[in-house]
Amino acid sequence: MNTNYFFALTLPDETKEYIYDMTEEIRSEFPFKKWLHKDDYHITLAFLGNAPEEMRKKSMELVKGSLSNEGPFSLSLHRISTFGERHNPRILWAGVTGEERLFDIQKKVYQECLQAGFSLDKKPFKPHITIARKYIGERTFDIEELQVKAGRDSIGQHSFTVSEVSLYQSHFGASPSYEPIFTIRLQ
């Protein structure tokens, strides 16, 4: 069976709970085909796709070595936004601020995955936490209305410390869908 793998920042449980609680307020008024399980919240650093075992092992070794001198760092939730058509988005996400270290770590992970032989997405890195996929509401989607209902000002009041990068495996059709199979502690 095909499965996908990706390296991502692992979010603390209290941050996952904070995002989930915030979305409880908006789910009924802004229906999406799939709301992610709170254990699936993460920030993707490098998407590997259906990765052969040899390349996966090599990437794990290289990424672990590259991050050996990296310590934990702080981020703050910033805003809720979307990807896709403005009135019919395909992704609802939460953004983060304080991300200079995040960009440094993403570059290291990305480079090591290239070194391991992966072909990676060349689009610029846009750090985000996917919350839901594929808007299915009958009325036109309005991001400003959603931001007000979700507490536009309060989302930025949540800060958290990132201390782990994990290699995740996707389990299509399961909930939660993503399983961390290798974790690197930032020390």
Side-chain angles (χ1 to χ4, degrees):
M1 179 172 143
N2 285 346
T3 187
N4 288 321
Y5 296 88
F6 58 92
F7 279 99
L9 289 182
T10 306
L11 302 179
D13 288 342
E14 56 273 8
T15 300
K16 293 175 184 180
E17 198 67 46
Y18 182 89
I19 295 169
Y20 182 83
D21 289 347
M22 179 194 60
T23 64
E24 282 292 285
E25 309 278 327
I26 58 176
R27 286 175 187 238
S28 61
E29 290 184 59
F30 299 92
F32 279 78
K33 185 173 185 175
K34 179 175 183 176
W35 289 88
L36 269 65
H37 189 285
K38 65 184 171 187
D39 290 340
D40 286 340
Y41 298 153
H42 64 274
I43 299 173
T44 301
L45 303 172
F47 181 77
L48 307 181
N50 187 358
E53 186 175 357
E54 287 287 315
M55 289 172 65
R56 254 191 351 259
K57 286 183 176 179
K58 185 173 183 182
S59 70
M60 290 161 39
E61 181 182 309
L62 291 170
V63 169
K64 184 176 181 179
S66 180
L67 299 181
S68 64
N69 293 323
E70 292 288 347
F73 61 98
S74 294
L75 294 172
S76 295
L77 292 179
H78 174 53
R79 65 186 175 121
I80 292 179
S81 194
T82 60
F83 292 137
E85 295 176 29
R86 177 175 171 81
H87 298 296
N88 190 25
R90 60 182 170 76
I91 302 286
L92 177 68
W93 54 267
V96 294
T97 59
E99 64 220 13
E100 185 175 326
R101 288 275 315 283
L102 171 55
F103 276 88
D104 292 342
I105 286 174
Q106 188 273 338
K107 282 180 193 162
K108 287 182 178 185
V109 170
Y110 188 92
Q111 289 303 317
E112 298 304 344
C113 290
L114 288 176
Q115 186 70 28
F118 287 99
S119 297
L120 302 176
D121 190 351
K122 292 179 176 37
K123 288 186 283 194
F125 177 55
K126 293 184 179 176
H128 65 280
I129 302 160
T130 299
I131 299 170
R133 291 193 175 96
K134 191 150 177 39
Y135 180 68
I136 56 171
E138 292 181 13
R139 66 184 175 105
T140 301
F141 182 83
D142 184 341
I143 187 63
E144 288 81 13
E145 181 185 349
L146 181 139
Q147 288 170 335
V148 168
K149 293 218 189 288
R152 180 194 319 241
D153 299 329
S154 65
I155 190 170
Q157 295 174 4
H158 181 83
S159 296
F160 57 99
T161 300
V162 176
S163 60
E164 294 179 344
V165 171
S166 295
L167 177 64
Y168 286 86
Q169 179 179 2
S170 297
H171 297 286
F172 300 112
S175 184
S177 300
Y178 308 132
E179 174 189 9
I181 59 170
F182 176 73
T183 299
I184 302 161
R185 299 247 343 130
L186 304 178
Q187 315 208 22

